[in-house]
Amino acid sequence: MAAHLSSGRVNLTALREAGRRELREFLDKCAGSKAIVWDEYLTGPFGLIAQYSLLKEHEVEKMFTLKPGRLPPADVKNIIFFVRPKLELMDIITDNVLREDRGRSPQRDFHILFVPRRSLLCEQWLKEQGVLGSFIHREQYSLDLIPFDGDLLSMESESAFKECYLESDQTSLYHAAKGLMTLQALYGTIPQIFGKGECARHVANMMIRMKREFPGSQNSIFPIFDTLLLLDRNVDLLTPLATQLTYEGLIDEIYGIQNTYVKLPPEKFAPKKQGEGGKDLPTEPKKLQLNSAEELYAEIRDKNFNAVGSVLSKKAKIISAAFEERHHAKTVGEIKQFVSQLPHMQAARSSLANHTSIAELIKDITTSEDFFDNLTVEQEFMSGIDTDKVNNYIEDCIAQKHPLIKILRLVCLQSVCNSGLKQKVLDHYKREILQTYGYEHILTLNNLEKAGLLKPQTSGRNNYPTIRKTLRLWMDDVNEQNPNDISYVYSGYAPLSVRLAQLLARPGWRSIEEVLKMLPGPHFEERQQLPTGLQKKRQHGENRVTLVFFLGGVTYAEIAALRFLSQMEDGGTEYVIATTKLINGTSWIKSLMDKLEPAPF
Amino acid sequence: MSRARADEEEYWHSSKFRAFTFDDEDDELSQLKESKRAVNSLRDIVDDDDDDLERVSWSGEPVGSISWSIKETASSSTSSLEGRDSSLQKGSSSYAAFPKQVSSYSLSSLFKGRNKLPSFQSLSDALSDTGVKNYAPELRRPKAEYKDYSSDWSPKDTVRRMQRGKICSLERFRSLQDKLVLLDEAVAGHDGNVITAVLIFLKRTLRREILFRELEVRQVALCHLIHFLKETGEQKLLLDLLRFLDRTEEVALSQYREHLNIQDVEKRREFLKGCIGLPFSAEDTSHIQDHYTLLERQIIIEANDRHLETAGQSEIFRKYPRKASILNMPLVTTLFYSCFYHYTEAEGTFSSPTNLKKTFKIPDKQYVLTALAARAKLRAWDDVDALFTTKNWLGYTKKKAPIGFHRVVEILQRNNAPVQVLQEYVRLVEDVETRLNLGTKYKCHDVVIETYKDLKDRIQLTAYKCRVDRGSAEEEKINSILNN
């Protein structure tokens, strides 16, 4: 079930186990049979921690989705709400509780489990509605960092960037620090902390403070991580705006990966047996889980999409050959051996079939004219061409009313690559956007401006070319098939964030002081004392382990680039990645858009 | 790919970018096909009854996963209890557990002062018919318990306890000094939950001016309060605060945002009118003004057109019934609408396209694109023609387009314009390569043939022969050119 979590350098199964234990303990507090009412957003992340069977072992008999109205009449002793601390959810819960039939017997007890934290604000809200007293247990389940894969952790906090950079609400940073404390409790104190950005500074401060305040946390576990690197998303606003060109990145760009699952159009996954096809083509989307438990996926996900086809065809040949073996199996022993391999071969075959279909779906899009044009403009901007005037393609897209998010991604990209747009250019874009998509989007444009994504060039100086050259962000000779540099993940552009991680490992940040000063926020280094005896004595040739924490989100292409660095033969560093949320340009911009419809309540 | 291949190649060779293309020697598409074939051929060998590694329902949810189980258990939950007379059983056991609910009394002291009924009242109301009376009035909690909560926690300890989710009374922080120390402690802890809780306490116990003044020098706390007020919809206090801080633009935007909650268009228009005077930036002010003018316009057009439509006397509305109202649509959509239904109207009417163009200073390019799309949709080719025809003072006519004729061709083509119309505009495409490509793509043979003729390109012209129908006029034309 979770074997892929232990495949990496750090065994993340332990973290998952800790999560499961806490969940069991809470369930056992509510004695007797229970029904769980789920905030739908949470089922995905919880699914990565536990299956229904675990809940069932602890007398969870029914599960419902949270929605207004009367609760379903399940015959259980306890009703437990699993919710994020959000006011609109509190309103639904209030409705549920008020409509509960007081006369029913036996009466059902109510409890709330806040994920990841209890919120006094929410409890006050419930109190004002007059239902707070109806809950026997009100507790929190600190699902701070959820293991997604052997080298990947996420808090899945979708509004973290918006809260940190737009609303200056640092609660998600507090959770990040909490999550890091949990990690240190399990994997030892991390001796070195580096960081860049305001939020990084805050998180480091909180960690140091927490450590001081809970001296009990001084543990005697041999440290597994050598270094922690905290990076603010707003140090690198550019990378998420560009279209990711790795296999996994493209799947996410086009279909959106949620909690390791992706929903795909069903046509390409039609029923397998010929003759049956056609009559009942599935209309529901096909849902697949994507993680390193699947051998083939682990191999291709971080490749540039242009290199995926050749791997798939190679695999096809190998599998075909393996099946051919059956003709050569003569003796009973040989046949037996063939049969024993069948399950593995079947799994490999179905995995190959799925990824061939996905690759075809993606290819339809990447070969379209519009994808090509869009990418051309992105690459022009990133390499510094014509970033200071109104772009024709963007204008055309507005005229043809392409999705607003696409327009915003491009305009923001241009702005970031030009250290802000000339006032005249900015005004022109704004006007076109408002006239075509509606004046109310003035609110969204304002948010983008506040977040620094879309702004007028104030200093009159464009720093981007210097940053680009010093950090070698644009590589002309990119090799997509057999990459020798991280720039392969965007077919030319090397993600700034990952470049910073790479340069930190070697030769160190001292070599790029000047550029670091141009990027927002402070950069710093902290050391955490280890008790004697726990100091690491590295074996010759043993790699260092660095945890890179992206505050405000990380893209799959950046993850791919870090994995590429981990695998470099003379790299010397292996990376584990943590983040507040897995993002792409679209989901990111969306999180910053002003919600234009009033809430349903 | 529809764009000229040669164009692209030249582009990629002349510039320093690498194209994201697939036509390397190892053609990707053929590779995909290959693996697809292999997969298919294997199906015959392994007769598979989906016994994949995990049991997975079609939607891909592993059987037994949480989201799968929600559906399962929800659908099977029939009302086993309903209909049973439950009021008869006064389950003493569950009521016995009742006092437990009182576990966190002091939270209420945190949030007192709102004029709503305390929670217990409503709960007791709900319980009254069951005859249970053992609920305690809120204030009379056991002495011991009370003591515990009011014990002397320092601000630091209080914040720390709250961070751990424990309950603390804040009432004992009476002086302004104490309260501010508490707030600063909370801020230093970075836990937004605790900061907000302290702010709620301060908001309740401090005079507004003092609260505002103190927050002005505490930016983090200030941000939290603003966020909190937005969340809870305390618009009035929010605006007061922003005004106090002199953040006038934010006041304006925040107030403007309110219009989204107004459903009634008349009221919304009135509201927008009030927004015009708000202190926006100069650029934004003109947008807000436009927003108001647009809605005002739309209301007039809508009333008029609804009347026309129901009367049934206007041909255009009979032939193309409106799919939706024009209210609250963006400006460009409104322009399209007016080019569709009101194209010929004099500039004096509110619904005429030219009037819209003038009022909102719509750029030529935008206007032509929209008008073209609308008229092409109606297949009004004469209007399309007129759109691009200009006369000079000698009376000569000339074709001109602010958007490039290749774009015109694309838009016409998307609206299924006949070849005769298309070729008019293909002919006008300046760039020879583009013209040839478009001509070939949309079968505007005459244009292609003439272009090759002008280029004196016998080879291409000969090659083109296979594109035209055998024995057609086009073939004859090619032959006659070649023979000359």
Side-chain angles (χ1 to χ4, degrees):
Chain A
M1 188 52 232
H4 61 287
L5 295 181
S6 52
S7 58
R9 184 67 189 277
V10 180
N11 184 353
L12 296 179
T13 320
L15 184 62
R16 185 172 181 267
E17 250 337 294
R20 289 164 71 91
R21 199 182 320 123
E22 203 185 326
L23 183 59
R24 282 197 212 102
E25 279 165 14
F26 172 74
L27 289 173
D28 289 342
K29 266 187 200 165
C30 315
S33 60
K34 13 190 149 355
I36 296 178
V37 183
W38 286 94
D39 168 357
E40 219 169 356
Y41 182 86
L42 290 176
T43 59
F46 262 87
L48 297 169
I49 299 287
Q51 297 272 290
Y52 181 49
S53 57
L54 179 141
L55 303 176
K56 209 165 176 179
E57 282 164 26
H58 295 265
E59 293 181 87
V60 175
E61 291 175 5
K62 304 279 182 204
M63 306 219 280
F64 310 110
T65 313
L66 182 65
K67 52 173 177 260
R70 189 184 276 248
L71 284 170
D75 191 5
V76 289
K77 181 151 187 316
N78 302 283
I79 300 270
I80 313 176
F81 295 93
F82 278 36
V83 286
R84 287 165 296 161
K86 296 213 175 260
L87 290 183
E88 63 266 26
L89 300 179
M90 296 308 113
D91 286 340
I92 304 180
I93 293 180
T94 303
D95 191 47
N96 284 170
V97 171
L98 290 178
R99 283 168 190 260
E100 175 79 349
D101 179 7
R102 293 287 164 195
R104 69 175 296 139
S105 165
Q107 252 208 342
R108 306 192 283 193
D109 293 341
F110 291 113
H111 316 273
I112 295 191
L113 187 63
F114 286 109
V115 185
R117 297 224 57 213
R118 246 173 108 162
S119 144
L120 299 171
L121 176 57
C122 284
E123 294 186 9
Q124 183 216 21
W125 197 256
L126 291 173
K127 164 119 189 134
E128 282 176 17
Q129 312 300 318
V131 295
L132 186 73
S134 309
F135 298 97
I136 297 179
H137 289 294
R138 293 192 305 269
E139 306 226 350
Q140 65 185 25
Y141 181 67
S142 22
L143 191 64
D144 287 323
L145 283 167
I146 307 157
F148 271 60
D149 217 319
D151 58 355
L152 180 59
L153 301 156
S154 172
M155 291 163 56
E156 282 310 286
S157 158
E158 52 182 346
S159 49
F161 183 86
K162 184 177 183 176
E163 284 167 11
C164 290
Y165 299 99
L166 217 59
E167 286 151 359
S168 306
D169 177 343
Q170 293 165 353
T171 307
S172 58
L173 299 181
Y174 177 77
H175 292 174
K178 279 267 192 192
L180 282 164
M181 296 313 280
T182 311
L183 272 190
Q184 293 192 93
L186 288 168
Y187 303 104
T189 304
I190 307 174
Q192 255 186 329
I193 304 176
F194 291 91
K196 170 73 190 166
E198 287 295 342
C199 294
R201 183 69 261 183
H202 281 312
V203 171
N205 288 350
M206 280 186 257
M207 287 172 70
I208 292 161
R209 186 183 154 121
M210 285 174 189
K211 195 173 173 222
R212 202 175 50 228
E213 285 177 7
F214 302 101
S217 66
Q218 190 64 267
N219 63 35
S220 52
I221 297 169
F222 198 80
I224 292 177
F225 295 105
D226 298 281
T227 308
L228 165 65
L229 169 58
L230 295 159
L231 280 179
D232 273 34
R233 183 72 274 173
N234 83 337
V235 169
D236 172 12
L237 293 171
L238 195 166
T239 303
L241 293 168
T243 304
Q244 310 171 65
L245 297 176
T246 58
Y247 181 53
E248 188 167 46
L250 275 167
I251 296 177
D252 187 42
E253 293 277 346
I254 298 168
Y255 298 107
I257 302 174
Q258 302 285 349
N259 302 300
T260 73
Y261 284 92
V262 66
K263 282 182 183 164
L264 298 159
E267 299 81 32
K268 296 253 181 190
F269 303 89
K272 294 170 184 168
K273 290 185 186 91
Q274 260 113 38
E276 266 179 40
K279 63 180 172 210
D280 48 12
L281 273 178
T283 48
E284 233 183 290
K286 168 92 171 165
K287 202 170 170 189
L288 283 175
Q289 187 168 28
L290 301 172
N291 62 35
S292 61
E294 190 183 352
E295 206 180 299
L296 175 61
Y297 187 64
E299 188 179 337
I300 58 176
R301 66 168 166 195
D302 299 320
K303 290 193 183 304
N304 185 291
F305 186 59
N306 276 343
V308 166
S310 63
V311 178
L312 288 179
S313 89
K314 233 175 273 162
K315 286 281 150 177
K317 279 179 200 144
I318 294 169
I319 294 179
S320 300
F323 275 101
E324 280 309 305
E325 285 288 306
R326 77 193 189 285
H327 297 302
H328 307 302
K330 295 276 168 8
T331 68
V332 174
E334 281 166 351
I335 292 171
K336 203 170 166 189
Q337 205 200 334
F338 178 81
V339 170
S340 73
Q341 285 167 355
L342 257 182
H344 178 72
M345 286 160 64
Q346 273 171 324
R349 197 220 80 240
S350 93
S351 159
L352 179 64
N354 282 339
H355 290 292
T356 307
S357 299
I358 297 174
E360 280 181 332
L361 285 168
I362 291 175
K363 205 175 156 49
D364 286 346
I365 290 170
T366 55
T367 49
S368 71
E369 188 181 359
D370 191 57
F371 186 87
F372 177 84
D373 291 347
N374 185 71
L375 195 65
T376 307
V377 172
E378 284 183 9
Q379 299 204 330
E380 279 178 5
F381 288 161
M382 291 190 290
S383 55
I385 295 176
D386 286 346
T387 49
D388 58 353
K389 50 185 177 207
V390 173
N391 181 280
N392 272 334
Y393 175 72
I394 297 181
E395 270 204 309
D396 281 358
C397 289
I398 296 175
Q400 292 172 43
K401 232 179 167 184
H402 284 216
L404 177 59
I405 292 191
K406 173 186 173 173
I407 310 291
L408 295 176
R409 263 179 92 160
L410 283 170
V411 175
C412 290
L413 183 69
Q414 184 176 355
S415 171
V416 173
C417 290
N418 199 53
S419 306
L421 295 168
K422 283 190 183 151
Q423 191 68 48
K424 227 176 70 195
V425 177
L426 180 62
D427 289 347
H428 178 87
Y429 280 137
K430 268 181 150 179
R431 191 175 186 84
E432 296 254 297
I433 289 171
L434 296 178
Q435 292 190 338
T436 308
Y437 297 92
Y439 290 105
E440 62 275 19
H441 292 289
I442 216 171
L443 298 162
T444 293
L445 295 180
N446 239 277
N447 285 350
L448 295 175
E449 213 163 307
K450 248 195 250 166
L453 278 160
L454 184 65
K455 56 177 188 188
Q457 204 182 70
T458 41
S459 60
R461 232 181 86 97
N462 180 2
N463 281 330
Y464 178 69
T466 316
I467 298 170
R468 187 185 71 234
K469 280 173 207 146
T470 316
L471 298 182
R472 291 179 304 122
L473 298 185
W474 185 262
M475 305 296 277
D476 285 323
D477 47 348
V478 58
N479 186 340
E480 290 164 350
Q481 304 290 329
N482 299 297
N484 48 19
D485 181 71
I486 56 169
S487 55
Y488 84 93
V489 298
Y490 288 96
S491 291
Y493 165 73
L496 193 160
S497 57
V498 182
R499 214 35 128 207
L500 289 181
Q502 187 182 13
L503 289 166
L504 175 66
R506 203 176 340 179
W509 275 358
R510 224 159 273 154
S511 61
I512 51 164
E513 284 278 341
E514 285 307 306
V515 167
L516 283 174
K517 276 183 204 144
M518 289 179 184
L519 298 168
H523 58 281
F524 60 88
E525 178 182 353
E526 295 282 351
R527 281 177 190 279
Q528 301 200 88
Q529 280 301 315
L530 292 175
T532 38
L534 290 183
Q535 266 105 3
K536 209 163 178 178
K537 289 189 188 68
R538 204 176 314 284
Q539 302 288 314
H540 182 68
E542 194 192 15
N543 282 340
R544 302 170 57 84
V545 183
T546 296
L547 175 66
V548 187
F549 203 129
F550 289 85
L551 301 164
V554 68
T555 65
Y556 287 98
E558 286 170 301
I559 295 169
L562 282 168
R563 286 185 182 141
F564 171 79
L565 292 178
S566 292
Q567 282 155 14
M568 290 227 303
E569 254 170 51
D570 53 350
T573 306
E574 281 178 58
Y575 294 94
V576 174
I577 301 127
T579 184
T580 50
K581 175 91 177 92
L582 292 159
I583 58 166
N584 59 46
T586 302
S587 65
W588 189 40
I589 295 283
K590 207 180 210 163
S591 78
L592 290 170
M593 287 176 77
D594 207 277
K595 284 190 205 76
L596 295 176
E597 287 85 45
F601 294 94
Chain B
M1 272 192 204
S2 53
R3 192 200 263 209
R5 184 93 255 169
D7 250 16
E8 260 165 39
E9 232 112 75
E10 197 201 35
Y11 176 77
W12 291 113
H13 291 155
S14 63
S15 77
K16 54 199 194 108
F17 306 120
R18 276 190 47 92
F20 193 63
T21 51
F22 296 85
D23 46 356
D24 306 338
E25 320 88 291
D26 251 354
D27 180 49
E28 175 105 1
L29 195 64
S30 69
Q31 285 172 345
L32 280 183
K33 280 195 184 119
E34 197 180 322
S35 51
K36 186 96 185 169
R37 221 174 15 249
V39 168
N40 286 337
S41 69
L42 293 178
R43 271 171 200 154
D44 309 332
I45 309 169
V46 227
D47 191 28
D48 43 340
D49 295 310
D50 249 327
D51 46 358
D52 289 347
L53 297 174
E54 270 176 73
R55 270 216 305 148
V56 172
S57 64
W58 165 252
S59 64
E61 220 80 71
V63 171
S65 77
I66 287 176
S67 42
W68 176 83
S69 315
I70 290 181
K71 286 172 209 143
E72 275 310 285
T73 59
S75 60
S76 66
S77 75
T78 45
S79 54
S80 55
L81 256 184
E82 230 154 43
R84 210 190 290 174
D85 189 358
S86 46
S87 62
L88 282 179
Q89 307 172 311
K90 287 181 189 149
S92 53
S93 64
S94 59
Y95 294 133
F98 184 57
K100 263 205 285 185
Q101 300 174 355
V102 194
S103 63
S104 49
Y105 263 145
S106 60
L107 240 195
S108 62
S109 62
L110 230 182
F111 301 129
K112 245 183 341 199
R114 291 234 137 211
N115 46 9
K116 290 224 174 136
L117 292 171
S119 67
F120 263 80
Q121 191 130 357
S122 65
L123 190 66
S124 61
D125 286 346
L127 285 172
S128 58
D129 59 339
T130 65
V132 178
K133 287 199 179 95
N134 65 344
Y135 60 88
E138 192 162 8
L139 292 172
R140 246 184 265 157
R141 63 190 85 126
K143 250 201 178 131
E145 210 180 356
Y146 189 86
K147 211 171 172 184
D148 181 39
Y149 290 116
S150 61
S151 62
D152 246 3
W153 302 108
S154 71
K156 198 172 194 153
D157 289 334
T158 306
V159 166
R160 230 183 275 177
R161 280 178 65 83
M162 282 164 67
Q163 279 183 345
R164 266 173 275 165
K166 296 215 175 103
I167 278 85
C168 286
S169 165
L170 302 182
E171 297 299 319
R172 51 169 228 85
F173 296 97
R174 285 173 195 279
S175 73
L176 176 62
Q177 196 51 39
D178 283 356
K179 287 173 186 171
L180 292 176
V181 171
L182 180 69
L183 180 62
D184 290 338
E185 270 307 322
V187 169
H190 295 283
D191 183 348
N193 187 25
V194 177
I195 298 172
T196 306
V198 172
L199 283 170
I200 294 170
F201 169 66
L202 296 193
K203 175 172 154 259
R204 180 166 61 75
T205 56
L206 286 180
R207 278 224 319 280
R208 202 172 267 196
E209 307 82 71
I210 296 172
L211 178 67
F212 288 179
R213 190 190 67 211
E214 293 301 335
L215 286 183
E216 197 176 6
V217 292
R218 289 171 174 81
Q219 282 300 313
V220 176
L222 178 65
C223 289
H224 278 271
L225 185 66
I226 291 173
H227 182 49
F228 165 76
L229 295 176
K230 276 186 190 161
E231 279 278 289
T232 52
E234 287 177 69
Q235 184 74 6
K236 200 179 153 332
L237 187 59
L238 175 64
L239 293 178
D240 286 349
L241 174 59
L242 292 176
R243 259 183 227 116
F244 172 84
L245 298 166
D246 230 14
R247 283 155 69 164
T248 51
E249 226 181 298
E250 254 177 272
V251 176
L253 282 167
S254 179
Q255 211 154 333
Y256 166 73
R257 198 187 184 292
E258 279 291 289
H259 86 268
L260 292 163
N261 297 324
I262 303 172
Q263 296 305 319
D264 183 89
V265 274
E266 290 290 343
K267 282 191 192 137
R268 190 184 267 211
R269 189 195 56 187
E270 276 312 299
F271 186 87
L272 285 174
K273 192 175 184 180
C275 287
I276 295 172
L278 296 173
F280 291 101
S281 68
E283 181 68 14
D284 286 354
T285 302
S286 80
H287 293 312
I288 304 295
Q289 167 81 52
D290 281 354
H291 191 177
Y292 162 72
T293 316
L294 178 64
L295 185 59
E296 189 185 38
R297 228 18 113 70
Q298 286 171 337
I299 291 173
I300 299 170
I301 299 175
E302 177 67 22
N304 209 23
D305 288 2
R306 199 188 298 131
H307 177 74
L308 277 175
E309 195 174 33
T310 40
Q313 276 161 2
S314 162
E315 199 195 326
I316 179 105
F317 286 107
R318 258 203 328 259
K319 237 169 127 184
Y320 305 97
R322 303 185 312 153
K323 288 192 188 99
S325 119
I326 194 61
L327 296 172
N328 297 318
M329 292 292 168
L331 174 61
V332 171
T333 313
T334 312
L335 178 64
F336 180 90
Y337 176 95
S338 103
C339 286
F340 195 90
Y341 289 111
H342 303 279
Y343 196 59
T344 51
E345 273 167 32
E347 203 190 305
T349 66
F350 279 141
S351 47
S352 93
T354 26
N355 189 310
L356 283 175
K357 180 173 188 256
K358 255 203 179 149
T359 311
F360 296 96
K361 298 192 192 71
I362 298 171
D364 257 358
K365 210 168 153 181
Q366 184 74 269
Y367 178 79
V368 168
L369 272 173
T370 312
L372 172 63
R375 299 323 286 170
K377 197 161 189 111
L378 286 167
R379 312 182 71 80
W381 311 123
D382 290 344
D383 291 341
V384 171
D385 188 60
L387 210 48
F388 301 112
T389 309
T390 50
K391 257 191 197 153
N392 67 11
W393 59 279
L394 285 173
Y396 294 120
T397 61
K398 210 186 144 200
K399 295 271 192 239
K400 242 176 78 183
I403 48 171
F405 281 104
H406 63 283
R407 291 286 308 281
V408 177
V409 172
E410 269 161 31
I411 293 170
L412 289 173
Q413 200 273 332
R414 238 180 282 143
N415 286 290
N416 303 316
V419 174
Q420 295 90 308
V421 175
L422 268 185
Q423 69 180 17
E424 281 283 304
Y425 298 94
V426 175
R427 186 169 285 137
L428 292 166
V429 174
E430 248 172 63
D431 181 67
V432 178
E433 283 294 307
T434 320
R435 193 193 316 151
L436 283 169
N437 279 309
L438 287 172
T440 314
K441 194 162 144 197
Y442 302 132
K443 297 198 167 64
C444 303
H445 301 310
D446 279 345
V447 182
V448 178
I449 295 166
E450 279 155 33
T451 307
Y452 283 134
K453 185 185 160 193
D454 293 345
L455 289 170
K456 301 197 190 337
D457 193 335
R458 290 185 69 88
I459 303 164
Q460 289 293 340
L461 195 54
T462 317
Y464 197 74
K465 251 190 357 181
C466 65
R467 295 251 185 180
V468 300
D469 291 336
R470 212 158 259 261
S472 62
E474 286 88 0
E475 197 189 34
E476 234 165 78
K477 194 170 174 183
I478 294 178
N479 285 333
S480 89
I481 293 169
L482 287 172
N483 290 335
N484 277 325

